[in-house]
Amino acid sequence: MDGIEAIIIRDYGDGIDHVQVEALFGNLGDSWKKETEKYKGRALHGKNGRGRFKAFALGFRVEWSTVYEKDGKLYSFSIRGDANALDDFNVTDPAECGPGAVSGTTVTITNPLRNFRSLQGDDAPHEIAKIFSAYLTEYPGVRIEYDGQNIDAKDAQLDRREYSLNDIVLSDGSIISSTVVIVEWKTPTERTIHLCDSNGVSLHEMPIGQKVRAPGYNFTAYVKSDYFKKLDKSGLLAVAFMDEGVTRVVESAIICLKSHFRRRIAEQQSAIVEDWKKQKIYPYEDKEDIGSIESIERQVFDIVAVNVQSYLPSFDKSDIKSKKFTFRLLAQALRQNPGSVQVIIEEVLGLKREAQNDLAELLKKTSLSSIISSAKIVANRLDFLNGLETLLFDKESKRKLLERDQLHKILEDEAWVFHEEFALAASEERLEEVLKKHLDKLGIREDNPDIVDLGEGSTGRLDLMLHRAVQPRSDEYDYLVVELKRPSQKINSDVLTQIEKYAIAVANDERFHGVKVRWNFVAVSNELDDFAKRRAKQRGKPPGVIFEDDELNITVWAKSWADIINDARAKLSFVNSRLSYEADSESAKQYLKLAHAKFIPDVPVFRSKQGESILTEPRRDVMTINK
């Protein structure tokens, strides 16, 4: 059934002497390796006496079949253990081996606990090579074979370099000496730091995360020091992040990694530029006297051009003439737009060194326009929240705002304010028909007629349904249904009962039978009465949840506009703390003018400082000339 029947580990060492079984398979923590630094010239791995028990983390039954030499003859016997009785091993009597036998031990683990996919994937040999890379390099005579495939760490390596780190002097006066081996791999791999003893035996693994930015490089760092061996013996390496010595050695290794990859990237870019010069497609003359302006221009060009080559698949396949033309256009653009280039350069050169490096790394992974676009989305949302708050709570605006004709239309394009996944969602005809069919569950509504009189010559619908649909996966749907109550209607027990009945009726509709749907129904108004507030604060549920049905996959929410706006602001707060964008009334007006101008009521609060309505179209017969 394409599963694992057994896991077998075989070595060709000296085997286990029968007279030593009781000592070797005794109490946890006993190991002969504790007193032995090396064996036959090689460093030993495993000195804590736990290995025999770790085998049971893979399967219920473990058998050690071993062949050892005594008085010039080979003998074999087996040791069997069961996960249900870890203190009881069954040992057979030794028997003399026949011709052809060789010493060594085979461990067979049966009844696997699960189907360990990590052992079966195509990348399993590569992962093993990463773990043993430093050790195999240290002892080239050692051979590891995995599932019939020879593990050769050098075959998978693109580059390997070793650096000595500065000695670390601890608070107690002791000194830690260490080195770091940086191995770059040919295939994608997770970036990790292995803490090894001085012989390259990996004792502990730590993630690097975002501490080292090296786009395009797959690497592993092996930090070697006998200090780690000392901690491992005392069982403290598992909490390495709490140890002063480990923290400082790792910090030193991180600094070394950053320096290494800065050099590697510079080497790569320099080699690329030299290749362009050989192809005669580099748009600048090769001369000794280069002015400061042209020097900066060349640096900017090199950054842009390297990214063009890296991220445009068709570029390398282009002919020399096309490449030369592309580069001439890039250089021309830099020369002919000096104002913008100057501002960009001043901003970049004014950044701190770390921020410059961060920008450079970002520009290797994405475009500047994408970075600007992402920041603009956050800024627009902050401006929208300011504008929405004014629309809903300003006395004049609230009186003139018509939910169906104005607020509803605005929120159709800003559904993210309710749930982020509906930011780009659309309406769905099937959902709209079902919502209309069960509208009576919400009681007698003033919006059943198409248009109602709102007083003072205004017409519209007082309560309405806003709906959005997304399809996260094939044959699965997420639906958002929002009932926007008129400002004068508090959410009370009647509203809660109605929205719950409505949600159940809609979800039970025959059109959704057999369809995987996740429903979110939201009742929104300016206020909730005391009963509704208590229902919206239930133990063990997110604030606002008043009803859940696991069978129908329904969640019903009741929220005030203040809650929704504050929740949305909170979600944006972390990003904006880095963006440092200050949304104010003027920026909010500008956003509403660009995005929702025809739905904004013409009231004083939405007029410019000059008294013009934000709905006023700019004059198109005026040309502005900037010096």
Side-chain angles (χ1 to χ4, degrees):
M1 295 185 289
D2 200 27
I4 294 177
E5 181 180 347
I7 300 168
I8 302 169
I9 303 96
R10 179 181 293 112
D11 72 49
Y12 300 95
D14 294 342
I16 304 170
D17 193 324
H18 193 270
V19 298
Q20 295 179 321
V21 170
E22 187 172 347
L24 296 176
F25 282 75
N27 296 326
L28 177 66
D30 287 344
S31 176
W32 63 275
K33 299 177 185 178
K34 275 187 175 181
E35 308 303 325
T36 308
E37 288 295 320
K38 291 190 176 183
Y39 184 71
K40 292 187 176 181
R42 288 196 290 117
L44 292 168
H45 175 57
K47 303 175 182 63
N48 298 318
R50 303 171 186 162
R52 58 190 180 280
F53 295 104
K54 285 187 176 181
F56 293 103
L58 299 175
F60 281 102
R61 293 184 177 84
V62 184
E63 178 176 350
W64 289 260
S65 299
T66 186
V67 176
Y68 69 100
E69 183 182 352
K70 187 174 184 180
D71 299 331
K73 296 180 180 180
L74 292 176
Y75 296 87
S76 66
F77 68 95
S78 64
I79 307 163
R80 297 186 183 91
D82 191 288
N84 295 320
L86 292 177
D87 58 347
D88 186 13
F89 291 94
N90 183 23
V91 184
T92 65
D93 293 329
E96 188 175 342
C97 300
V102 293
S103 64
T105 302
T106 300
V107 183
T108 304
I109 304 168
T110 52
N111 284 27
L113 294 177
R114 60 180 189 273
N115 198 30
F116 301 101
R117 297 188 181 277
S118 60
L119 297 177
Q120 303 178 77
D122 294 337
D123 59 344
H126 178 63
E127 293 301 312
I128 291 173
K130 285 196 302 178
I131 294 170
F132 290 99
S133 176
Y135 192 81
L136 290 173
T137 304
E138 196 80 23
Y139 303 107
V142 175
R143 187 172 68 87
I144 298 177
E145 187 180 282
Y146 179 79
D147 202 22
Q149 181 176 340
N150 190 52
I151 303 298
D152 188 347
K154 291 184 179 179
D155 283 349
Q157 293 177 10
L158 184 66
D159 187 74
R160 180 187 183 277
R161 304 190 191 187
E162 184 167 351
Y163 302 93
S164 294
L165 300 177
N166 293 330
D167 288 346
I168 302 295
V169 181
L170 300 180
S171 53
D172 61 3
S174 57
I175 299 174
I176 304 175
S177 298
S178 57
T179 60
V180 60
V181 177
I182 304 171
V183 177
E184 297 172 19
W185 304 100
K186 296 177 182 177
T187 56
T189 184
E190 185 178 354
R191 297 173 176 180
T192 55
I193 291 179
H194 286 260
L195 305 185
C196 311
D197 64 18
S198 59
N199 296 294
V201 175
S202 178
L203 305 172
H204 186 66
E205 182 180 325
M206 303 171 67
I208 293 178
Q210 298 300 315
K211 295 175 184 176
V212 179
R213 294 183 175 88
Y217 288 94
N218 303 294
F219 65 90
T220 304
Y222 301 88
V223 186
K224 300 194 294 184
S225 174
D226 278 330
Y227 181 74
F228 302 142
K229 184 178 180 180
K230 176 184 173 183
L231 289 180
D232 187 48
K233 279 186 176 181
S234 57
L236 295 175
L237 203 56
V239 287
F241 62 92
M242 299 175 63
D243 183 85
E244 176 200 358
V246 174
T247 302
R248 292 180 61 186
V249 171
V250 170
E251 286 175 354
S252 180
I254 292 293
I255 292 171
C256 183
L257 280 163
K258 290 180 177 179
S259 176
H260 167 82
F261 284 108
R262 277 197 295 270
R263 285 195 297 270
R264 292 285 285 149
I265 291 169
E267 289 171 8
Q268 185 185 42
Q269 288 189 344
S270 178
I272 291 172
V273 171
E274 287 303 316
D275 185 56
W276 292 339
K277 290 178 180 178
K278 289 178 182 178
Q279 295 182 53
K280 296 183 178 181
I281 60 175
Y282 194 64
Y284 299 97
E285 293 182 21
D286 194 3
K287 56 185 180 180
E288 293 183 5
D289 185 19
I290 300 174
S292 58
I293 294 177
E294 186 176 340
S295 177
I296 293 173
E297 184 183 323
R298 288 191 182 203
Q299 291 173 26
V300 174
F301 172 83
D302 290 349
I303 292 171
V304 175
V306 167
N307 278 279
V308 167
Q309 175 163 299
S310 301
Y311 295 103
L312 287 182
S314 59
F315 185 83
D316 280 334
K317 298 177 182 178
S318 303
D319 56 40
I320 296 295
K321 190 175 181 180
S322 298
K323 291 179 181 179
K324 189 172 183 178
F325 177 69
T326 301
F327 282 171
R328 286 177 65 89
L329 283 178
L330 282 174
Q332 189 88 354
L334 289 170
R335 290 192 197 98
Q336 292 189 346
N337 196 6
S340 297
V341 174
Q342 182 181 347
V343 171
I344 293 169
I345 290 173
E346 285 175 353
E347 286 294 318
V348 172
L349 294 180
L351 295 173
K352 293 181 180 178
R353 182 176 294 277
E354 185 177 352
Q356 288 184 29
N357 292 335
D358 289 344
L359 177 59
E361 299 300 338
L362 277 173
L363 292 175
K364 288 170 187 160
K365 289 185 176 181
T366 185
S367 65
L368 188 58
S369 62
S370 297
I371 297 172
I372 295 169
S373 176
S374 299
K376 186 64 176 172
I377 289 173
V378 176
N380 285 347
R381 289 187 176 188
L382 291 168
D383 283 330
F384 172 72
L385 292 175
N386 274 13
L388 179 63
E389 201 167 37
T390 303
L391 281 171
L392 293 167
F393 298 110
D394 178 78
K395 183 178 179 181
E396 189 76 15
S397 170
K398 183 168 63 174
R399 187 174 64 82
K400 288 199 172 186
L401 184 69
L402 311 179
E403 279 102 342
R404 168 63 76 179
D405 299 324
Q406 294 176 334
L407 182 59
H408 178 267
K409 293 298 182 183
I410 293 171
L411 292 171
E412 280 183 344
D413 294 327
E414 308 280 359
W416 60 268
V417 79
F418 300 105
H419 281 279
E420 177 58 44
E421 59 265 37
F422 294 97
L424 300 175
S427 59
E428 185 186 82
E429 186 176 346
R430 171 180 60 176
L431 176 61
E432 189 167 0
E433 291 175 357
V434 174
L435 293 178
K436 288 180 179 178
K437 174 183 174 182
H438 299 284
L439 202 61
D440 61 299
K441 300 292 182 186
L442 294 172
I444 299 173
R445 292 167 60 86
E446 295 179 61
D447 70 345
N448 279 340
D450 285 340
I451 299 293
V452 297
D453 184 6
L454 299 177
E456 298 186 7
S458 299
T459 59
R461 292 187 176 183
L462 293 175
D463 296 345
L464 60 98
M465 283 294 168
L466 180 148
H467 63 277
R468 281 288 176 265
V470 294
Q471 188 173 359
R473 290 161 296 278
S474 178
D475 299 327
E476 293 186 28
Y477 299 88
D478 287 355
Y479 289 140
L480 171 70
V481 180
V482 183
E483 183 179 23
L484 302 172
K485 308 301 293 184
R486 59 191 181 277
S488 60
Q489 170 66 67
K490 285 187 179 181
I491 295 179
N492 53 29
S493 59
D494 291 338
V495 172
L496 298 184
T497 301
Q498 290 168 358
I499 192 74
E500 288 174 21
K501 288 182 177 179
Y502 184 65
I504 292 170
V506 171
N508 263 321
D509 191 273
E510 62 272 11
R511 271 168 277 202
F512 296 112
H513 287 173
V515 180
K516 293 181 181 179
V517 177
R518 183 176 64 174
W519 296 94
N520 273 286
F521 289 82
V522 187
V524 186
S525 185
N526 278 22
E527 283 189 79
L528 280 68
D529 71 3
D530 289 340
F531 175 80
K533 286 178 182 178
R534 293 187 180 278
R535 281 287 306 278
K537 294 180 180 178
Q538 299 184 44
R539 184 179 297 166
K541 293 183 180 180
V545 173
I546 61 160
F547 174 75
E548 289 181 298
D549 189 299
D550 290 338
E551 184 179 349
L552 294 174
N553 212 4
I554 296 172
T555 303
V556 180
W557 308 72
K559 292 193 173 188
S560 68
W561 276 116
D563 290 335
I564 288 175
I565 292 172
N566 290 334
D567 287 348
R569 278 205 182 106
K571 291 174 184 175
L572 294 169
S573 63
F574 173 76
V575 177
N576 191 44
S577 67
R578 301 298 186 269
L579 185 62
S580 300
Y581 180 77
E582 296 183 8
D584 54 28
S585 59
E586 286 303 310
S587 61
K589 292 175 188 177
Q590 286 299 317
Y591 175 74
L592 292 175
K593 175 181 179 179
L594 291 171
H596 308 291
K598 62 183 179 180
F599 304 122
I600 307 301
D602 184 13
V603 293
V605 72
F606 284 113
R607 293 198 179 105
S608 67
K609 292 179 179 178
Q610 289 74 31
E612 295 178 340
S613 168
I614 67 168
L615 305 182
T616 304
E617 287 291 325
R619 290 182 60 189
R620 303 191 184 280
D621 60 339
V622 176
M623 177 182 292
T624 302
I625 301 176
N626 294 319
K627 183 177 179 181

